[in-house]
Amino acid sequence: MKWDLEHRRAVITGAANGIARATAHLLASDGARLVLVDLDADKLAITAEQCRKSGAEQVETFAADLTDGDAVHRLGEFVTSTMDGLDLLIPAAGIIGREPIVEMPDEHWDRIMNINVRAVFQLNRELLPLMADGGSVVLFSSDAGRRGSPGKAAYATSKAAIIGLARSIVGEVGRRQIRVNIVAPGFIDTRMNAETFAVKGDVLAEETPLGRNGRPEEVASVIAFLCSDAASFVNGAVVPINGGHYMAG
């Protein structure tokens, strides 16, 4: 499905892989102007070239570690110089970790919080002042953030924190007609879930009412909808994308 995102200026982080890459491709085919961000410069360049071939009006790349606050500031300057502002912010970069709470070192907790929460906070702080009225922000939670996940306490906590962050920002930027929504993917076939899928991918698919696991493109389509004028009165929503695997609201 296509959405009218022509000329919209978007920043997408984590764009070298997975859901963020699929989102970049979809927005490119809708004619958006893109700033793609990732730590992996080589894979980022591949995504950028694919987006140009898909019809993006403009594609820029910014390779950086966004746990570095200076890099986030430089990204803001880069967006200003290349796009002269912003319409869409999609901070999709994130990591997962598996460690029982009683064995979890501080370094594990800190790394996940720095990437999944602190960097997202800093991106919003830096880029929201550049965003045009009527813009859209889509943040990433997960089913783990809504329900918890044994063995992944740091990850689940980070994704629960994103919901609180997003809904707080809603009250600060709403009068500018900037909408902030959250997607909460379930088991999607990405590199992040490769280890889980290798062990029990078939079981997870069987447990899902639709009888399969999700694809990155299926999350990207929801993100594109939330970025579009079709979602003009959707604000502060948490959208589960899990095929019905978890039925709790």
Side-chain angles (χ1 to χ4, degrees):
M1 181 174 291
K2 303 257 307 173
W3 303 101
D4 184 10
L5 298 173
E6 192 172 6
H7 310 310
R8 303 286 178 92
R9 300 161 296 180
V11 169
I12 304 174
T13 75
N17 295 286
I19 294 169
R21 181 175 60 192
T23 302
H25 289 167
L26 182 53
L27 267 60
S29 68
D30 286 338
R33 300 167 62 192
L34 304 176
V35 174
L36 305 180
V37 185
D38 202 280
L39 183 60
D40 190 329
D42 292 337
K43 287 186 177 179
L44 187 62
I46 294 171
T47 300
E49 184 57 29
Q50 292 169 340
C51 287
R52 293 184 185 103
K53 292 178 179 178
S54 295
E57 180 180 345
Q58 179 183 358
V59 183
E60 308 289 345
T61 60
F62 187 87
D65 179 355
L66 294 182
T67 62
D68 177 359
D70 289 339
V72 175
H73 179 66
R74 292 195 305 274
L75 174 60
E77 295 177 331
F78 183 77
V79 170
T80 299
S81 65
T82 59
M83 297 287 183
D84 192 29
L86 184 64
D87 300 294
L88 310 173
L89 174 58
I90 305 166
I95 61 170
I96 197 169
R98 298 166 178 83
E99 194 81 46
I101 190 73
V102 296
E103 300 173 10
M104 186 182 299
D106 290 347
E107 292 79 8
H108 174 102
W109 178 273
D110 290 344
R111 181 167 181 263
I112 288 177
M113 292 299 165
N114 284 340
I115 294 173
N116 291 2
V117 182
R118 186 171 181 268
V120 176
F121 148 67
Q122 290 183 326
L123 282 163
N124 278 273
R125 183 178 63 185
E126 186 72 33
L127 298 181
L128 279 173
L130 307 180
M131 184 169 283
D133 291 358
S136 178
V137 180
V138 180
L139 304 186
F140 280 66
S141 183
S142 73
D143 276 332
R146 296 167 61 243
R147 296 173 57 90
S149 184
K152 294 180 278 190
Y155 175 75
T157 302
S158 74
K159 292 304 181 179
I162 289 297
I163 296 175
L165 174 64
R167 288 180 166 168
S168 298
I169 298 171
V170 162
E172 298 185 18
V173 300
R175 289 296 185 262
R176 294 176 53 200
Q177 302 301 304
I178 294 173
R179 297 175 296 104
V180 185
N181 290 293
I182 309 107
V183 290
F187 292 106
I188 309 298
D189 190 7
T190 64
R191 186 179 64 175
M192 179 182 289
N193 287 323
E195 181 178 332
T196 298
F197 278 20
V199 175
K200 57 178 183 177
D202 292 343
V203 173
L204 293 171
E206 182 63 29
E207 291 174 349
T208 300
L210 292 182
R212 62 177 178 83
N213 297 309
R215 301 185 300 272
E217 295 77 13
E218 293 174 305
V219 182
S221 66
V222 176
I223 294 169
F225 162 71
L226 292 171
C227 287
S228 75
D229 292 341
S232 59
F233 205 57
V234 182
N235 197 19
V238 180
V239 184
I241 311 169
N242 56 42
H245 187 270
Y246 293 145
M247 299 307 296

